[in-house]
Amino acid sequence: MLTLPFDEPHMMCEPRFGADYPRDSLPESLEHERQRNADRPVMREAEDDISDREEDERDDDQDEEGLPKKRGPRKKKSGKEQDRSKLRRMEANARERSRMHGLNAALESLRKVVPCYSKTQKLSKIETLRLAKNYIWALSETLSAGKRPDLLAFVQTLCKGLSQPTTNLVAGCLQLNARNFLTDQNGEVMFPGRSPYDAMYSYPGTDMNTPPGHSSSTLDSGAKTFRHYSYSGAYEPYFENPSPESGSPHFDGQLSPPMNFNGIFSLKHEEPPDYGKGSHYGVRYCGAPGRTALAHNSMYRVSPEARFPYDLHVRSQSFQAQGEVNGSFHN
DNA sequence: TAGGCCATCTGGTCCT
DNA sequence: AGGACCAGATGGCCTA
């Protein structure tokens, strides 16, 4: 299912991939970080001294029964022993740094495969993990359901438990109205004021805004105030008419992995020739002129005018009639 | 300025 | 003994 470009195979299969990170071979960013922190040598030296002293003092604090030991004259470490201890500590620190760098690298690779990735507005570690968990959960649910996914439920699951800024970010990535995916304090997704369908599938002049079972009137009570997030409409084509006052984050890089809706959600790595070189994942926006993939392939055709920001395309070989698809979407 | 996030240091524990 | 892993402490940076 995950047809990802695991372009960092060492990240995926090496159990302790960060363990042997030689300091000399740190990635540029990490090396920069290392140099940045090398600006604090004075403190480190001082801490080393202190830790050595404390280490000595703690050595004989308690006996094997936890009772305080009698403190005799402390054995003074020789200069050689102190040096050796210092050296060991420094080596351990370096290893720990490398380990953490490896951990962060793995986290960074995770960031790139969850459905919301921005170079400029990185998800925090905890939010990355939460989103990843939600993503796995949503995919599992989709699989276990054995039917075509409900896009709305999928996104709701995705945003469960995420902080407001992250919800905004995800909504921004998916070009959805964040207000409709707010989560309450329990992590439950709320729909204050409007039907979620309103936001995602707006059909001006039609009465398709509120599908059965999604009456907005029942949701008003959950309304709460929101941080400024001003999509002027429920949905705006991302490339053609971005709202100038939009609170949507600015994305200058790859936004998220591709999500292809072909009955199930799936990740798919496919580098389209004309979409952003250097990006790992081919998120396709279909609002740009000349991009017609959605019109031909999307199972979630919204309307001829309103183009969903994602190219929700399907694999032709497994794709059934467009009418059936649209039917399942609008049921 | 408080709070969130992060990198790093550190000592303890477990494992080889 | 030494390395990996972990969690607590600390300080820096950034933002609301």
Side-chain angles (χ1 to χ4, degrees):
Chain A
M1 182 172 68
L2 293 177
T3 56
L4 286 174
F6 290 128
D7 55 348
E8 297 168 299
H10 61 287
M11 291 289 178
M12 305 304 299
C13 53
E14 215 169 285
R16 290 180 172 180
F17 57 83
D20 301 323
Y21 232 121
R23 298 189 68 177
D24 293 341
S25 64
L26 288 178
E28 196 173 330
S29 58
L30 300 181
E31 178 64 13
H32 175 264
E33 183 62 30
R34 189 185 70 79
Q35 285 173 359
R36 188 172 68 91
N37 286 287
D39 293 341
R40 301 187 273 183
V42 176
M43 188 190 75
R44 287 186 188 176
E45 280 305 310
E47 284 175 353
D48 279 341
D49 291 344
I50 290 169
S51 65
D52 276 353
R53 213 181 314 131
E54 286 176 345
E55 191 178 313
D56 289 346
E57 285 169 2
R58 276 192 291 261
D59 270 351
D60 312 311
D61 267 357
Q62 294 178 336
D63 61 13
E64 52 279 358
E65 292 174 12
L67 299 171
K69 270 188 176 178
K70 288 177 186 170
R71 290 175 179 269
R74 206 177 299 124
K75 200 171 65 180
K76 186 71 183 175
K77 275 185 180 174
S78 71
K80 251 188 179 179
E81 281 173 324
Q82 277 187 5
D83 287 348
R84 180 173 154 75
S85 159
K86 231 182 233 181
L87 184 65
R88 283 219 326 263
R89 189 61 257 173
M90 286 172 69
E91 286 172 350
N93 288 348
R95 280 194 303 273
E96 178 65 9
R97 263 198 309 274
S98 297
R99 197 181 68 85
M100 294 311 294
H101 288 167
L103 197 57
N104 289 339
L107 206 53
E108 184 59 32
S109 64
L110 183 61
R111 278 192 187 100
K112 291 175 183 173
V113 297
V114 293
C116 182
Y117 178 64
S118 162
K119 282 179 182 172
T120 51
Q121 193 169 346
K122 271 174 38 172
L123 289 177
S124 72
K125 292 179 174 181
I126 185 69
E127 293 291 88
T128 300
L129 293 175
R130 284 179 181 143
L131 182 56
K133 183 207 73 177
N134 289 351
Y135 191 33
I136 292 169
W137 180 263
L139 290 172
S140 304
E141 288 289 292
T142 301
L143 277 178
S144 63
K147 57 180 183 183
R148 289 198 169 79
D150 179 275
L151 177 59
L152 179 61
F154 190 86
V155 178
Q156 287 172 15
T157 305
L158 227 49
C159 291
K160 252 189 181 178
L162 299 183
S163 69
Q164 176 57 47
T166 307
T167 301
N168 284 348
L169 192 61
V170 173
C173 284
L174 301 177
Q175 284 302 290
L176 303 172
N177 189 331
R179 285 173 295 185
N180 294 291
F181 297 97
L182 256 197
T183 54
D184 63 17
Q185 291 171 337
N186 299 321
E188 298 299 321
V189 178
M190 299 166 55
F191 301 98
R194 298 180 62 199
S195 160
Y197 277 84
D198 290 4
M200 294 176 64
Y201 319 117
S202 179
Y203 301 94
T206 75
D207 53 89
M208 297 176 68
N209 285 350
T210 307
H214 288 81
S215 167
S216 60
S217 61
T218 62
L219 299 161
D220 288 345
S221 60
K224 59 195 240 185
T225 57
F226 302 103
R227 181 188 308 224
H228 174 69
Y229 194 92
S230 56
Y231 280 113
S232 59
Y235 143 84
E236 292 177 359
Y238 190 59
F239 286 100
E240 290 182 346
N241 186 27
S243 168
E245 41 178 48
S246 169
S248 180
H250 170 259
F251 304 99
D252 72 342
Q254 196 58 53
L255 298 181
S256 65
M259 294 170 66
N260 296 324
F261 299 78
N262 66 334
I264 59 170
F265 290 80
S266 68
L267 284 169
K268 178 183 175 184
H269 177 48
E270 186 178 21
E271 187 74 50
D274 54 341
Y275 297 141
K277 293 256 191 295
S279 298
H280 288 306
Y281 307 100
V283 177
R284 291 94 186 268
Y285 291 91
C286 47
R291 295 183 184 174
T292 56
L294 176 64
H296 294 298
N297 293 328
S298 173
M299 68 178 287
Y300 291 144
R301 181 173 292 171
V302 177
S303 75
E305 296 80 21
R307 283 159 294 189
F308 198 78
Y310 269 96
D311 180 351
L312 305 176
H313 60 183
V314 297
R315 299 185 182 118
S316 55
Q317 61 269 33
S318 61
F319 185 53
Q320 299 176 21
Q322 185 71 52
E324 179 192 343
V325 166
N326 287 334
S328 73
F329 182 64
H330 289 145
N331 67 350

